[in-house]
Amino acid sequence: MRTAMSRPRPDSAGTVAAYPRRAAASEHDIASQEALALRVAALLGRRFAPDFRPTRNRGEPPPYYVPDRSITSLARATKLGITRAADLFGGVTPHAFVASKSITHGVVDAQARVPQGWARSLAGALEEVVLRGFTAFTLEDACRAGERLLQEGAFRVKPADATAGRGQIVVRNA
C-alpha cells in the first residue's frame, strides 16, 4: 500500500493527525510534521487533532494520518485502522528495510545474509542511478563490503534509517 495524498474515507471522524512519530523526534521534525498535517487538514476541510494518541481516542473512527515516516508493518497499519491508501498521507511497507535507503544497494555477494522479502535483483536495476555501495545486515557482511570499498578509497558508512547525514562516519582504513 503506497500513496501520496489520496481521498480519505468518507466515514472518518473528520480529523487529521500528525501520527505516528518517532519517540526521539527533534523539535524541527515535530514542527515539520505538524505543519504538514495542518496544511493537509485545511486542504481536506478537516480539523487538525493535536497530540493525537490512539489510546486516548478509542471508539472514535481513525483520523487521516500524516506519519513522520512510512509505517513499516502491515499489522501496525491495521492496528491504527489503516486499511487502504486513502487512510494516510504516506505509505505502508511490509518490511522496515523497504522504507529505507537499504533497498537502493545490493549486498556484497551471494553469501550475504538478507531478511525475508529482500529482492536481490532490485540493486542491479538501480546501479546506474545510485552511488556505489552495499547494504549489509550482519557485521561480517559489512566488513566484507568495507574491504571491497576500501580498494577504491575512503567511503561513508550510514545507518539505513538515518536522515540529514546523521550517524555517518567516513572509513579510511580497515
Side-chain angles (χ1 to χ4, degrees), residues 75 79 157:
K79 187 174 180 179
V157 174

Side-chain angles (χ1 to χ4, degrees), residues 25-43:
S26 70
E27 286 183 39
H28 169 77
D29 289 341
I30 292 168
S32 296
Q33 182 187 12
E34 288 184 353
L36 178 59
L38 278 164
R39 292 194 66 159
V40 168
L43 287 168

Side-chain angles (χ1 to χ4, degrees), residues 2 20 22 67-77 80 82 88 91-100 161:
R2 289 191 174 272
R22 283 177 246 253
D68 70 345
R69 64 195 175 284
S70 295
I71 296 171
T72 57
S73 159
L74 300 176
R76 167 87 172 165
L80 291 171
I82 298 169
L88 78 160
V92 175
T93 65
H95 309 286
F97 69 83
V98 176
S100 75
D161 60 349

